[in-house]
Amino acid sequence: MRTLAGTGRRTLLNACFAVHAVLSAVVGLAALLTPHLVGVFFGEELHNTLRYNPAGEAKVAHIALRFYGALTLGQAYIVWNARSITDGEVRRCFIEAYAGVFGLSLLVLLRAHYTESHWALENLSWARWLLNWGLIAFFATLTLGYTWFAIFQPPVVFEGLAHSA
């Protein structure tokens, strides 16, 4: 019975990895190819064109977003392939790392939201304010999901496929 429950939970973990990988691929490609569109999440104005070539600080921000996109694409590849890893310790390492990474990312977003006047409701349209909270909710969901696996799941979830037979 424990094996069946563990198999179902491993399937759920693999589904989480798959969703994470697909979303990471989409965000990574968007940041790499159209950093000005991803920059909207960080307060950049929308320029009604897919070929926006900024100058000054915006150009530096676009370079950073492209680096982020490249790293996120790499992460998508790693997480997609982590579904077939049979070593339970490696799978647990992925879960713990992502719980920490997304938790810290959430704290960064919350700090910016509450300490930067740029993100105050009186300085933003409702749409931008809701977009910001949507991003915060997205990272909160990732944090809670990976933390749930890291803390509350029994070791059988992390046992590899070779151990489940």
Side-chain angles (χ1 to χ4, degrees):
M1 184 69 168
R2 181 176 173 170
T3 303
L4 291 176
T7 301
R9 290 183 179 130
R10 277 192 302 277
T11 301
L12 179 60
L13 178 57
N14 284 339
C16 289
F17 278 163
V19 169
H20 177 178
V22 169
L23 291 174
S24 291
V26 169
V27 170
L29 277 172
L32 191 64
L33 300 176
T34 57
H36 55 285
L37 295 179
V38 176
V40 169
F41 287 102
F42 303 104
E44 185 173 326
E45 295 297 321
L46 194 56
H47 298 282
N48 296 327
T49 178
L50 290 177
R51 294 188 51 95
Y52 170 63
N53 190 15
E57 291 178 2
K59 189 167 202 76
V60 173
H62 286 199
I63 291 169
L65 282 170
R66 283 191 168 108
F67 275 121
Y68 173 77
L71 290 170
T72 304
L73 272 174
Q75 175 187 206
Y77 177 81
I78 291 168
V79 175
W80 181 261
N81 288 295
R83 298 173 310 126
S84 62
I85 292 174
T86 59
D87 187 329
E89 288 302 312
V90 173
R91 289 170 66 91
R92 180 180 290 278
C93 182
F94 273 97
I95 297 303
E96 292 169 347
Y98 282 127
V101 165
F102 291 127
L104 289 172
S105 298
L106 176 61
L107 290 175
V108 167
L109 289 171
L110 287 170
R111 182 186 182 279
H113 184 78
Y114 286 112
T115 63
E116 301 292 329
S117 62
H118 174 78
W119 295 109
L121 181 57
E122 60 268 10
N123 296 331
L124 296 174
S125 68
W126 272 99
R128 263 195 199 270
W129 191 79
L130 289 173
L131 183 66
N132 189 45
W133 274 107
L135 189 60
I136 289 170
F138 175 70
F139 276 92
T141 301
L142 288 170
T143 300
L144 291 173
Y146 279 115
T147 300
W148 178 75
F149 273 109
I151 295 174
F152 299 111
Q153 288 303 294
V156 71
V157 172
F158 301 104
E159 289 176 3
L161 302 173
H163 299 294
S164 64

